[in-house]
Amino acid sequence: MAKKQNSFSLNFDTDWNYSPAPESTSHVEIKEKYDLFIGGKFVKPKSGKYFDTINPATEKSLAKVAEANEKDVDSAVKSARKAFKPWSELPASERAKYIFRIARLIQERAREFAVIESLDGGKPIKESRDIDIPLAAAHFFYYAGWADKLEYAFPNRKIKPLGVAGQIIPWNFPLLMAAWKIAPALACGNTVVLKPAETTSLTALKLAELIADSDLPEGVVNIVTGAGKTGAAIVNHPDIDKIAFTGSTEVGKIIQRAIAGTNKKATLELGGKAANIIFEDAPIDQAVEGVINGIFFNQGHVCCAGSRLFIQESIKDEVEKKLKMRLETLRIGDPLDKNTDIGAINSKGQLETIEAYLEIGKQEGLTSFQPSYSLPKKGYYCKPTLFFDVSQSSRLSKEEIFGPVLAIQTFRTVDEVIEKANNTPYGLSAGVWTDKGSKAFNLSSQLKAGVVWANTFNKFDPASPFGGFKESGFGREGGMHGLEAYLSIK
Ligand code: NAI
Ligand code: MG
C-alpha cells in the first residue's frame, strides 16, 4: 500500500502568474489522428504512415500522428520558401501583430495546452500550467515586441532575415521549445519548418491549429511530425538556410557534421551536467529547496538541471538529512493531479536509460537514498534518487542522466569547488548558494557555464539569453542575443 504523503509541494521560483480558466469553459480536444501542417492546412502525409503518441502515465495511446518522410519535408520546405519573400517584406509592425496574436491565443487556450502537455509528456499539471504555457506565451509577446525594433538592436548594421529555418525540438518542454524557436524566427522575418519530438507532438499540433486560426499567412510556419529520420530530412534539405536544434549532444554532433561545408547556419542547444553549489554560509533551507527544484523539476528532464550537488563539508550532514526529509514529502504520481510534484518519465526508453544509471550507481558501490513510498502500478515512473559521496570519475557525475537522480559530492575550499564544477565536458548552467555577494560574483565569473544562478535555480525569462559552452552547444536563445541566430548581420 502506498504510504501517505505529506502535502508540501515543490516551490518554484517563478513570476508567471497565470489564472486557469474555469473548468467548464474550456474543452480539451484531442483528435484521433493528426496530419501534417503545411502551407496553412493539415495535409495527409505522403508517407501514408502514422505513429502512436503515448500517455506515459497510463502507457496508452492518445492519438495517431503523421510520420513525415523526405517528400513531406520537401513540401514543407517549399511552402516555407514560397512564404518567405512576402513575409520578410511585410512591414515589421505587421509581422509583430501576428506574433502578438499568437501570444494572446496561447493565453486564451492556456488550460487546454497545459492539460495536453501533461497528458502527452507526463509533466505535472502545475508545471505545465504555471511555467511551460505562460512562458511560451511570454516568448511570443517578447519577440513580437522586437519585430519592428531590430535596427535598434543592431545599430548601424545591415540586417537581413536568413530565409527558411529548420527547427528540431526535444520532448522535455514541448510547447515552450516551439515558442523559443518560432517566435524569434518570425520576428526577424524568417519562415519555419518545425519538427516536435516524436513522444510529444500534440501541443505543437495544437499550436498549428491556433496558427491557422490566427490568419498568419500560409506557409510562414509549417509543422511536420516524425522521429529522427524526419529530423535528418530537415537537416539535409538543400533549401534550408538555418538549423536550430535542441536535444542530445550525440544528435547535435551528427547535425554539425551533416551541415559542414554547406551555407546553413546552426544553433545547437545540447546537454548539461550542472553544478549546484552550497556554501556553509548559505541560507540552508532555501538552498535545499533550490536543490530539490534544480533536479526534480520536470522529473529531471531539464538540460540545465542541477544534477551535480556540491556541499561544503561542514554542512554535509545537515544538508543531506534535509534533502532526505524533503524527498519523503514529494508527491509522485498522476501528472494531472494539481498536487503532483513529480510526474511520469517521458517515455519507456528514457525510463530505461535512467534505470540503467541507477544500476551503474549500484555497481559502483555508491550509497543511495530513495523515499519509502511506492510508485503507481501503471505508467513510467522513477523514484527521486540521491547518490552520496560520488567521485569525480563516477559515470553518475560525468554523464547526463536526464532524470530525477542527484549525484552529491563535497568540497572544502572555493578553488576546489570551482575546479570540480568545471571538470565536465558540458557548460550550460550552474547554481551558487551563499550569503556573500562577493562569493556569488566570483563564482559566476569563474564557472564555465552559459547561465549561473545565485540563490535561485531554473529561473527563466524571455529577456535573458540562454545557451551553453563546450559540448552544451553554441548560440544563444532568448533576449536580444536570440535575434542574432535568425539574422544575417553586416
Ligand atoms: P534526441 O537528440 O534524439 O532528440 C531530440 C530531437 O532530435 C527529437 O525531435 C528527435 O526526433 C530529433 N532527432 C533525433 N535524431 C535526429 C537526427 N539524426 N537528425 C535530426 N534530428 C534528430 O534525444 P533523445 O534520444 O530523445 O534523448 C536522449 C538524451 O538526450 C536524453 O537522455 C538527454 O540526455 C538528452 N536530451 C537533451 C535535451 C536538452 O534539452 N538539451 C533534450 C532531449 C534530450
Ligand atoms: Mg507522448
Side-chain angles (χ1 to χ4, degrees), residues 168-172 195-198 226-232 235 245-249 251-252 254-255 269-272 302-303 350 353 400-402 428:
I168 298 164
I169 59 172
W171 40 265
N172 52 344
K195 189 194 84 64
E198 54 273 31
K229 262 192 178 167
T230 311
V235 171
F245 171 78
T246 300
S248 61
T249 299
V251 173
I254 294 176
I255 293 178
E269 205 263 270
L270 310 175
V302 183
C303 46
Q350 189 60 28
T353 302
E400 181 175 55
I401 301 172
F402 227 60
L428 194 54

mmCIF file of all heavy atoms in Angstrom, residues 168-172 195-198 226-232 235 245-249 251-252 254-255 269-272 302-303 350 353 400-402 428, ligand 1:
data_model
loop_
_atom_site.group_PDB
_atom_site.id
_atom_site.type_symbol
_atom_site.label_atom_id
_atom_site.label_comp_id
_atom_site.label_asym_id
_atom_site.label_seq_id
_atom_site.Cartn_x
_atom_site.Cartn_y
_atom_site.Cartn_z
ATOM 1 N N ILE A 168 14.304 21.814 -34.866
ATOM 2 C CA ILE A 168 14.073 20.472 -34.325
ATOM 3 C C ILE A 168 14.128 20.557 -32.808
ATOM 4 O O ILE A 168 15.115 21.027 -32.243
ATOM 5 C CB ILE A 168 15.146 19.502 -34.858
ATOM 6 C CG1 ILE A 168 15.020 19.432 -36.391
ATOM 7 C CG2 ILE A 168 14.996 18.123 -34.237
ATOM 8 C CD1 ILE A 168 16.209 18.835 -37.079
ATOM 9 N N ILE A 169 13.049 20.143 -32.183
ATOM 10 C CA ILE A 169 12.945 20.387 -30.733
ATOM 11 C C ILE A 169 12.761 19.080 -29.943
ATOM 12 O O ILE A 169 12.361 18.063 -30.494
ATOM 13 C CB ILE A 169 11.810 21.395 -30.412
ATOM 14 C CG1 ILE A 169 10.462 20.888 -30.909
ATOM 15 C CG2 ILE A 169 12.149 22.766 -30.987
ATOM 16 C CD1 ILE A 169 9.289 21.742 -30.447
ATOM 17 N N PRO A 170 13.066 19.136 -28.649
ATOM 18 C CA PRO A 170 13.003 17.936 -27.807
ATOM 19 C C PRO A 170 11.662 17.794 -27.086
ATOM 20 O O PRO A 170 10.765 18.610 -27.280
ATOM 21 C CB PRO A 170 14.117 18.195 -26.800
ATOM 22 C CG PRO A 170 14.063 19.669 -26.587
ATOM 23 C CD PRO A 170 13.645 20.273 -27.886
ATOM 24 N N TRP A 171 11.595 16.769 -26.246
ATOM 25 C CA TRP A 171 10.337 16.404 -25.597
ATOM 26 C C TRP A 171 10.200 16.903 -24.171
ATOM 27 O O TRP A 171 9.194 16.648 -23.533
ATOM 28 C CB TRP A 171 10.191 14.878 -25.617
ATOM 29 C CG TRP A 171 11.483 14.156 -25.341
ATOM 30 C CD1 TRP A 171 12.358 13.666 -26.277
ATOM 31 C CD2 TRP A 171 12.076 13.873 -24.065
ATOM 32 N NE1 TRP A 171 13.447 13.090 -25.656
ATOM 33 C CE2 TRP A 171 13.303 13.201 -24.302
ATOM 34 C CE3 TRP A 171 11.700 14.116 -22.742
ATOM 35 C CZ2 TRP A 171 14.140 12.774 -23.274
ATOM 36 C CZ3 TRP A 171 12.541 13.691 -21.718
ATOM 37 C CH2 TRP A 171 13.737 13.027 -21.994
ATOM 38 N N ASN A 172 11.214 17.587 -23.675
ATOM 39 C CA ASN A 172 11.126 17.946 -22.250
ATOM 40 C C ASN A 172 10.291 19.202 -21.979
ATOM 41 O O ASN A 172 9.641 19.301 -20.940
ATOM 42 C CB ASN A 172 12.523 18.046 -21.621
ATOM 43 C CG ASN A 172 13.467 18.930 -22.384
ATOM 44 O OD1 ASN A 172 13.230 19.270 -23.543
ATOM 45 N ND2 ASN A 172 14.556 19.313 -21.741
ATOM 46 N N LYS A 195 9.895 20.650 -36.318
ATOM 47 C CA LYS A 195 9.561 19.269 -36.001
ATOM 48 C C LYS A 195 9.601 19.057 -34.491
ATOM 49 O O LYS A 195 10.648 19.171 -33.861
ATOM 50 C CB LYS A 195 10.542 18.291 -36.641
ATOM 51 C CG LYS A 195 10.047 16.855 -36.496
ATOM 52 C CD LYS A 195 11.106 15.818 -36.798
ATOM 53 C CE LYS A 195 11.989 15.519 -35.618
ATOM 54 N NZ LYS A 195 11.297 14.921 -34.469
ATOM 55 N N PRO A 196 8.445 18.722 -33.890
ATOM 56 C CA PRO A 196 8.466 18.384 -32.454
ATOM 57 C C PRO A 196 9.056 16.986 -32.254
ATOM 58 O O PRO A 196 9.222 16.237 -33.216
ATOM 59 C CB PRO A 196 6.985 18.403 -32.071
ATOM 60 C CG PRO A 196 6.235 18.131 -33.335
ATOM 61 C CD PRO A 196 7.094 18.672 -34.455
ATOM 62 N N ALA A 197 9.357 16.648 -31.016
ATOM 63 C CA ALA A 197 9.886 15.308 -30.717
ATOM 64 C C ALA A 197 8.760 14.291 -30.845
ATOM 65 O O ALA A 197 7.592 14.610 -30.628
ATOM 66 C CB ALA A 197 10.477 15.285 -29.314
ATOM 67 N N GLU A 198 9.127 13.073 -31.176
ATOM 68 C CA GLU A 198 8.124 12.060 -31.500
ATOM 69 C C GLU A 198 7.253 11.648 -30.316
ATOM 70 O O GLU A 198 6.156 11.137 -30.510
ATOM 71 C CB GLU A 198 8.787 10.843 -32.149
ATOM 72 C CG GLU A 198 9.931 10.194 -31.370
ATOM 73 C CD GLU A 198 11.286 10.840 -31.652
ATOM 74 O OE1 GLU A 198 11.340 12.062 -31.928
ATOM 75 O OE2 GLU A 198 12.299 10.111 -31.562
ATOM 76 N N GLY A 226 7.308 13.429 -36.722
ATOM 77 C CA GLY A 226 8.084 12.239 -37.041
ATOM 78 C C GLY A 226 9.258 12.141 -36.081
ATOM 79 O O GLY A 226 9.417 13.006 -35.207
ATOM 80 N N ALA A 227 10.096 11.114 -36.296
ATOM 81 C CA ALA A 227 11.225 10.903 -35.374
ATOM 82 C C ALA A 227 12.541 11.363 -36.017
ATOM 83 O O ALA A 227 12.549 12.318 -36.799
ATOM 84 C CB ALA A 227 11.263 9.444 -34.957
ATOM 85 N N GLY A 228 13.624 10.702 -35.678
ATOM 86 C CA GLY A 228 14.955 11.121 -36.123
ATOM 87 C C GLY A 228 15.108 11.224 -37.634
ATOM 88 O O GLY A 228 15.771 12.137 -38.134
ATOM 89 N N LYS A 229 14.473 10.283 -38.362
ATOM 90 C CA LYS A 229 14.594 10.304 -39.829
ATOM 91 C C LYS A 229 13.996 11.586 -40.405
ATOM 92 O O LYS A 229 14.539 12.152 -41.352
ATOM 93 C CB LYS A 229 13.819 9.122 -40.411
ATOM 94 C CG LYS A 229 14.647 7.935 -40.749
ATOM 95 C CD LYS A 229 13.772 6.991 -41.573
ATOM 96 C CE LYS A 229 14.516 5.768 -42.020
ATOM 97 N NZ LYS A 229 13.581 4.759 -42.537
ATOM 98 N N THR A 230 12.860 11.983 -39.855
ATOM 99 C CA THR A 230 12.219 13.221 -40.312
ATOM 100 C C THR A 230 13.125 14.406 -39.986
ATOM 101 O O THR A 230 13.302 15.318 -40.807
ATOM 102 C CB THR A 230 10.841 13.392 -39.634
ATOM 103 O OG1 THR A 230 10.114 12.174 -39.765
ATOM 104 C CG2 THR A 230 10.059 14.539 -40.223
ATOM 105 N N GLY A 231 13.721 14.377 -38.790
ATOM 106 C CA GLY A 231 14.648 15.442 -38.392
ATOM 107 C C GLY A 231 15.817 15.513 -39.361
ATOM 108 O O GLY A 231 16.214 16.599 -39.812
ATOM 109 N N ALA A 232 16.365 14.341 -39.700
ATOM 110 C CA ALA A 232 17.513 14.302 -40.616
ATOM 111 C C ALA A 232 17.119 14.839 -41.990
ATOM 112 O O ALA A 232 17.925 15.508 -42.657
ATOM 113 C CB ALA A 232 18.042 12.871 -40.717
ATOM 114 N N VAL A 235 17.398 18.529 -41.736
ATOM 115 C CA VAL A 235 18.812 18.940 -41.679
ATOM 116 C C VAL A 235 19.458 18.861 -43.060
ATOM 117 O O VAL A 235 20.221 19.738 -43.456
ATOM 118 C CB VAL A 235 19.584 18.038 -40.678
ATOM 119 C CG1 VAL A 235 21.084 18.287 -40.756
ATOM 120 C CG2 VAL A 235 19.077 18.271 -39.262
ATOM 121 N N PHE A 245 18.534 23.531 -33.298
ATOM 122 C CA PHE A 245 18.308 22.211 -32.704
ATOM 123 C C PHE A 245 18.461 22.275 -31.194
ATOM 124 O O PHE A 245 19.386 22.904 -30.681
ATOM 125 C CB PHE A 245 19.313 21.212 -33.285
ATOM 126 C CG PHE A 245 19.306 19.866 -32.595
ATOM 127 C CD1 PHE A 245 18.321 18.936 -32.857
ATOM 128 C CD2 PHE A 245 20.298 19.540 -31.653
ATOM 129 C CE1 PHE A 245 18.309 17.692 -32.221
ATOM 130 C CE2 PHE A 245 20.296 18.303 -31.017
ATOM 131 C CZ PHE A 245 19.301 17.379 -31.301
ATOM 132 N N THR A 246 17.570 21.621 -30.477
ATOM 133 C CA THR A 246 17.761 21.373 -29.051
ATOM 134 C C THR A 246 17.559 19.891 -28.828
ATOM 135 O O THR A 246 16.551 19.325 -29.263
ATOM 136 C CB THR A 246 16.762 22.171 -28.183
ATOM 137 O OG1 THR A 246 16.943 23.568 -28.429
ATOM 138 C CG2 THR A 246 16.999 21.916 -26.702
ATOM 139 N N GLY A 247 18.515 19.243 -28.180
ATOM 140 C CA GLY A 247 18.406 17.811 -27.928
ATOM 141 C C GLY A 247 19.723 17.255 -27.444
ATOM 142 O O GLY A 247 20.510 17.970 -26.817
ATOM 143 N N SER A 248 19.976 15.993 -27.764
ATOM 144 C CA SER A 248 21.158 15.327 -27.227
ATOM 145 C C SER A 248 22.437 15.806 -27.916
ATOM 146 O O SER A 248 22.427 16.200 -29.083
ATOM 147 C CB SER A 248 21.025 13.815 -27.402
ATOM 148 O OG SER A 248 20.930 13.499 -28.773
ATOM 149 N N THR A 249 23.537 15.749 -27.192
ATOM 150 C CA THR A 249 24.836 16.110 -27.735
ATOM 151 C C THR A 249 25.176 15.197 -28.910
ATOM 152 O O THR A 249 25.743 15.632 -29.918
ATOM 153 C CB THR A 249 25.911 16.017 -26.629
ATOM 154 O OG1 THR A 249 25.539 16.947 -25.596
ATOM 155 C CG2 THR A 249 27.291 16.373 -27.129
ATOM 156 N N VAL A 251 23.127 13.749 -31.175
ATOM 157 C CA VAL A 251 22.473 14.195 -32.410
ATOM 158 C C VAL A 251 23.032 15.559 -32.826
ATOM 159 O O VAL A 251 23.214 15.820 -34.016
ATOM 160 C CB VAL A 251 20.937 14.213 -32.270
ATOM 161 C CG1 VAL A 251 20.285 14.836 -33.495
ATOM 162 C CG2 VAL A 251 20.404 12.803 -32.055
ATOM 163 N N GLY A 252 23.358 16.406 -31.871
ATOM 164 C CA GLY A 252 23.975 17.702 -32.180
ATOM 165 C C GLY A 252 25.229 17.524 -33.018
ATOM 166 O O GLY A 252 25.464 18.263 -33.983
ATOM 167 N N ILE A 254 25.941 14.912 -34.927
ATOM 168 C CA ILE A 254 25.544 14.404 -36.258
ATOM 169 C C ILE A 254 25.140 15.594 -37.143
ATOM 170 O O ILE A 254 25.527 15.681 -38.306
ATOM 171 C CB ILE A 254 24.352 13.413 -36.144
ATOM 172 C CG1 ILE A 254 24.783 12.153 -35.385
ATOM 173 C CG2 ILE A 254 23.789 13.066 -37.526
ATOM 174 C CD1 ILE A 254 23.645 11.163 -35.132
ATOM 175 N N ILE A 255 24.381 16.522 -36.563
ATOM 176 C CA ILE A 255 23.914 17.680 -37.331
ATOM 177 C C ILE A 255 25.093 18.542 -37.772
ATOM 178 O O ILE A 255 25.164 18.975 -38.932
ATOM 179 C CB ILE A 255 22.890 18.492 -36.512
ATOM 180 C CG1 ILE A 255 21.612 17.657 -36.318
ATOM 181 C CG2 ILE A 255 22.583 19.846 -37.163
ATOM 182 C CD1 ILE A 255 20.538 18.307 -35.483
ATOM 183 N N GLU A 269 21.547 23.611 -29.010
ATOM 184 C CA GLU A 269 21.441 23.668 -27.552
ATOM 185 C C GLU A 269 21.396 22.231 -27.079
ATOM 186 O O GLU A 269 20.427 21.520 -27.352
ATOM 187 C CB GLU A 269 20.189 24.463 -27.156
ATOM 188 C CG GLU A 269 20.303 25.065 -25.785
ATOM 189 C CD GLU A 269 19.637 24.209 -24.744
ATOM 190 O OE1 GLU A 269 18.452 24.399 -24.493
ATOM 191 O OE2 GLU A 269 20.338 23.340 -24.186
ATOM 192 N N LEU A 270 22.472 21.793 -26.422
ATOM 193 C CA LEU A 270 22.623 20.364 -26.153
ATOM 194 C C LEU A 270 22.531 20.058 -24.656
ATOM 195 O O LEU A 270 21.837 20.743 -23.933
ATOM 196 C CB LEU A 270 23.937 19.884 -26.773
ATOM 197 C CG LEU A 270 24.111 20.313 -28.251
ATOM 198 C CD1 LEU A 270 25.474 19.932 -28.777
ATOM 199 C CD2 LEU A 270 23.020 19.714 -29.125
ATOM 200 N N GLY A 271 23.229 19.045 -24.247
ATOM 201 C CA GLY A 271 23.049 18.570 -22.867
ATOM 202 C C GLY A 271 23.719 19.428 -21.814
ATOM 203 O O GLY A 271 24.286 20.483 -22.097
ATOM 204 N N GLY A 272 23.651 18.929 -20.583
ATOM 205 C CA GLY A 272 24.278 19.620 -19.468
ATOM 206 C C GLY A 272 24.499 18.697 -18.291
ATOM 207 O O GLY A 272 23.990 17.569 -18.255
ATOM 208 N N VAL A 302 15.673 18.084 -17.788
ATOM 209 C CA VAL A 302 15.969 19.500 -17.982
ATOM 210 C C VAL A 302 17.445 19.612 -18.332
ATOM 211 O O VAL A 302 18.297 19.096 -17.607
ATOM 212 C CB VAL A 302 15.672 20.313 -16.683
ATOM 213 C CG1 VAL A 302 15.910 21.793 -16.905
ATOM 214 C CG2 VAL A 302 14.258 20.067 -16.188
ATOM 215 N N CYS A 303 17.744 20.264 -19.481
ATOM 216 C CA CYS A 303 19.137 20.318 -19.894
ATOM 217 C C CYS A 303 19.981 21.097 -18.895
ATOM 218 O O CYS A 303 21.153 20.816 -18.714
ATOM 219 C CB CYS A 303 19.244 20.933 -21.285
ATOM 220 S SG CYS A 303 18.265 22.407 -21.448
ATOM 221 N N GLN A 350 13.317 6.466 -22.120
ATOM 222 C CA GLN A 350 14.017 7.334 -21.186
ATOM 223 C C GLN A 350 14.039 6.705 -19.796
ATOM 224 O O GLN A 350 15.037 6.800 -19.076
ATOM 225 C CB GLN A 350 13.367 8.723 -21.157
ATOM 226 C CG GLN A 350 14.150 9.767 -20.373
ATOM 227 C CD GLN A 350 15.563 9.999 -20.922
ATOM 228 O OE1 GLN A 350 15.815 9.819 -22.107
ATOM 229 N NE2 GLN A 350 16.480 10.376 -20.045
ATOM 230 N N THR A 353 16.802 4.286 -19.748
ATOM 231 C CA THR A 353 18.095 4.979 -19.633
ATOM 232 C C THR A 353 18.381 5.334 -18.173
ATOM 233 O O THR A 353 19.472 5.100 -17.656
ATOM 234 C CB THR A 353 18.075 6.283 -20.461
ATOM 235 O OG1 THR A 353 17.789 5.950 -21.810
ATOM 236 C CG2 THR A 353 19.381 7.029 -20.388
ATOM 237 N N GLU A 400 25.152 12.922 -18.575
ATOM 238 C CA GLU A 400 23.800 13.470 -18.402
ATOM 239 C C GLU A 400 22.806 12.311 -18.263
ATOM 240 O O GLU A 400 22.716 11.454 -19.143
ATOM 241 C CB GLU A 400 23.422 14.330 -19.614
ATOM 242 C CG GLU A 400 22.041 14.948 -19.464
ATOM 243 C CD GLU A 400 21.691 15.914 -20.595
ATOM 244 O OE1 GLU A 400 21.759 15.514 -21.763
ATOM 245 O OE2 GLU A 400 21.337 17.065 -20.281
ATOM 246 N N ILE A 401 22.073 12.282 -17.168
ATOM 247 C CA ILE A 401 21.112 11.197 -16.930
ATOM 248 C C ILE A 401 19.721 11.616 -17.412
ATOM 249 O O ILE A 401 18.960 10.825 -17.926
ATOM 250 C CB ILE A 401 21.091 10.807 -15.432
ATOM 251 C CG1 ILE A 401 22.491 10.353 -14.994
ATOM 252 C CG2 ILE A 401 20.043 9.720 -15.171
ATOM 253 C CD1 ILE A 401 22.645 10.121 -13.509
ATOM 254 N N PHE A 402 19.409 12.902 -17.249
ATOM 255 C CA PHE A 402 18.123 13.445 -17.711
ATOM 256 C C PHE A 402 16.964 12.771 -16.978
ATOM 257 O O PHE A 402 15.937 12.419 -17.574
ATOM 258 C CB PHE A 402 17.984 13.266 -19.229
ATOM 259 C CG PHE A 402 17.524 14.507 -19.938
ATOM 260 C CD1 PHE A 402 18.251 15.672 -19.876
ATOM 261 C CD2 PHE A 402 16.356 14.503 -20.696
ATOM 262 C CE1 PHE A 402 17.846 16.818 -20.542
ATOM 263 C CE2 PHE A 402 15.929 15.650 -21.365
ATOM 264 C CZ PHE A 402 16.686 16.795 -21.281
ATOM 265 N N LEU A 428 26.434 24.359 -19.487
ATOM 266 C CA LEU A 428 25.191 25.070 -19.769
ATOM 267 C C LEU A 428 24.779 25.990 -18.619
ATOM 268 O O LEU A 428 24.450 27.148 -18.824
ATOM 269 C CB LEU A 428 24.086 24.036 -20.052
ATOM 270 C CG LEU A 428 22.806 24.527 -20.680
ATOM 271 C CD1 LEU A 428 23.077 25.301 -21.958
ATOM 272 C CD2 LEU A 428 21.885 23.347 -20.987
HETATM 273 P P1 NAI B 1 17.403 13.321 -29.381
HETATM 274 O O1 NAI B 1 18.519 14.271 -29.503
HETATM 275 O O2 NAI B 1 17.427 12.057 -30.179
HETATM 276 O O3 NAI B 1 16.011 14.056 -29.721
HETATM 277 C C1 NAI B 1 15.834 15.442 -29.870
HETATM 278 C C2 NAI B 1 15.156 15.758 -31.192
HETATM 279 O O4 NAI B 1 16.030 15.416 -32.272
HETATM 280 C C3 NAI B 1 13.877 14.979 -31.460
HETATM 281 O O5 NAI B 1 12.961 15.821 -32.111
HETATM 282 C C4 NAI B 1 14.338 13.867 -32.390
HETATM 283 O O6 NAI B 1 13.306 13.355 -33.204
HETATM 284 C C5 NAI B 1 15.370 14.597 -33.218
HETATM 285 N N1 NAI B 1 16.364 13.746 -33.867
HETATM 286 C C6 NAI B 1 16.809 12.531 -33.496
HETATM 287 N N2 NAI B 1 17.762 12.093 -34.348
HETATM 288 C C7 NAI B 1 17.932 13.059 -35.284
HETATM 289 C C8 NAI B 1 18.794 13.213 -36.414
HETATM 290 N N3 NAI B 1 19.673 12.282 -36.759
HETATM 291 N N4 NAI B 1 18.708 14.351 -37.139
HETATM 292 C C9 NAI B 1 17.834 15.327 -36.798
HETATM 293 N N5 NAI B 1 17.006 15.232 -35.745
HETATM 294 C C10 NAI B 1 17.052 14.118 -34.985
HETATM 295 O O7 NAI B 1 17.266 12.963 -27.849
HETATM 296 P P2 NAI B 1 16.588 11.672 -27.180
HETATM 297 O O8 NAI B 1 17.088 10.417 -27.824
HETATM 298 O O9 NAI B 1 15.130 11.881 -27.135
HETATM 299 O O10 NAI B 1 17.195 11.737 -25.712
HETATM 300 C C11 NAI B 1 18.459 11.199 -25.425
HETATM 301 C C12 NAI B 1 19.206 12.035 -24.423
HETATM 302 O O11 NAI B 1 19.459 13.327 -24.975
HETATM 303 C C13 NAI B 1 18.469 12.333 -23.140
HETATM 304 O O12 NAI B 1 18.606 11.289 -22.227
HETATM 305 C C14 NAI B 1 19.147 13.595 -22.694
HETATM 306 O O13 NAI B 1 20.332 13.269 -22.023
HETATM 307 C C15 NAI B 1 19.475 14.310 -23.976
HETATM 308 N N6 NAI B 1 18.478 15.364 -24.311
HETATM 309 C C16 NAI B 1 18.792 16.648 -24.048
HETATM 310 C C17 NAI B 1 17.855 17.636 -24.291
HETATM 311 C C18 NAI B 1 18.140 19.069 -23.990
HETATM 312 O O14 NAI B 1 17.215 19.813 -23.725
HETATM 313 N N7 NAI B 1 19.356 19.512 -24.080
HETATM 314 C C19 NAI B 1 16.526 17.334 -24.790
HETATM 315 C C20 NAI B 1 16.310 15.942 -25.109
HETATM 316 C C21 NAI B 1 17.272 15.009 -24.838
#
